[in-house]
Amino acid sequence: MPVLCSGTMERRWVPLLLLLVPWLPGLHPCLLCFGPPIQWARLCREIARSSQKDSQHQHCLEALAEAAVPLAPVTVGSGQSEALRKIIMDALHLLEKQKDKKPFEVSLQEAIQTIWVKLSQLEQAPACIPPCGHQPAARVFQCATCRLVDCQFPVDCPVQDVWVHEDEAITLHCDVPFAVPPELQVTWMFAKDIRTQDLALFEELQRGIGEPPSLTVQDPTLGTIACRLGAASETLARKYFYLNGPPGDAAENLRSLPDPSDSRAPRGPGHQGPKGSVDSCGLTPGSFPEGQNIGSCSSCIVHGV
């Protein structure tokens, strides 16, 4: 999954950070995620009451950098990044208010303690759950990089082997172990006689929104059934189920599978033949009546040509 910029904070401060790092040696990026570098330099200039080249000014910057080091591993949920920004900026304002009242080192220690107390009160983001899927709820903001980071999992889940027998019904579930929106589009697809994750080989069977993400198949045909959670452009996960014969026949079934690259290989159900012909369900891919139960497409899988 991609690493994302943290909105206006990233666009506004990081270019300045890159320009001013030589000017602010050692200042930790976490402090620069939320406040412009010049603001921290101005703070030290006012506290030290001296120019930037003065030793007291440099000591102030070094103290800020040292205090920020423990913040490097801090991550918060993407929805908490604004709260983290406020915590950091409140600490800056505290230092500004107390510059004439307390020694800088004392004020800095109080500010850091306040940061940790407030951080402990933030709600933690859900953990990334392997092995697959785009999990927006688990996206986190990294203080060390000033970036939003997603779980590093592929959208495609591993193929699950499902052993089937004649004259039986199976039910497949397009569920995932992480939270998804309630009104999520679910699309079911089928690739006959092939164990694959190549989307080009699938024929679409049915799509719906807000339907129970399950599919019941009567007397199933060998092949791969896939389901997609979300629209094609905003897919959260794709699951694959390879329908195989009884365990004793597995080797023979695999040996008899066609080469997917062979143009003569049989196509999946719903494949339109000569002009005017349709599959034995009387339906072409995507032509299911509006609102028809997704389970009613099972005969197309059984009797696909």
Side-chain angles (χ1 to χ4, degrees), residues 28 30-31 63-76 83-84 86-92 94 107-124 143-144:
H28 197 275
C30 187
L31 295 180
L64 287 174
E66 183 178 355
V69 169
L71 296 176
V74 169
T75 59
V76 298
L84 177 59
K86 188 176 185 305
I87 290 172
I88 298 294
M89 297 310 295
D90 284 349
L92 170 61
L94 177 63
S107 297
L108 180 59
Q109 187 61 34
E110 290 179 357
I112 293 299
Q113 290 175 352
T114 301
I115 288 176
W116 285 113
V117 169
K118 292 182 178 181
L119 283 177
S120 67
Q121 297 170 353
L122 294 182
E123 182 179 351
Q124 292 186 349
C143 200

Side-chain angles (χ1 to χ4, degrees), residues 36-78:
I38 195 171
Q39 191 169 7
W40 299 97
R42 179 179 58 80
L43 172 64
C44 283
R45 186 172 63 249
E46 292 180 359
I47 291 175
R49 301 185 188 280
S50 60
S51 66
Q52 298 172 11
K53 296 182 179 180
D54 188 270
S55 61
Q56 291 184 344
H57 183 272
Q58 294 300 318
H59 172 73
C60 174
L61 290 178
E62 291 171 1
L64 287 174
E66 183 178 355
V69 169
L71 296 176
V74 169
T75 59
V76 298
S78 59

Side-chain angles (χ1 to χ4, degrees), residues 162-165 168-172 215-220 225 243:
V162 179
W163 302 103
V164 298
H165 302 268
E168 77 166 358
I170 61 170
T171 299
L172 306 175
L215 175 71
T216 298
V217 184
Q218 294 282 349
D219 193 17
I225 294 179
L243 308 186

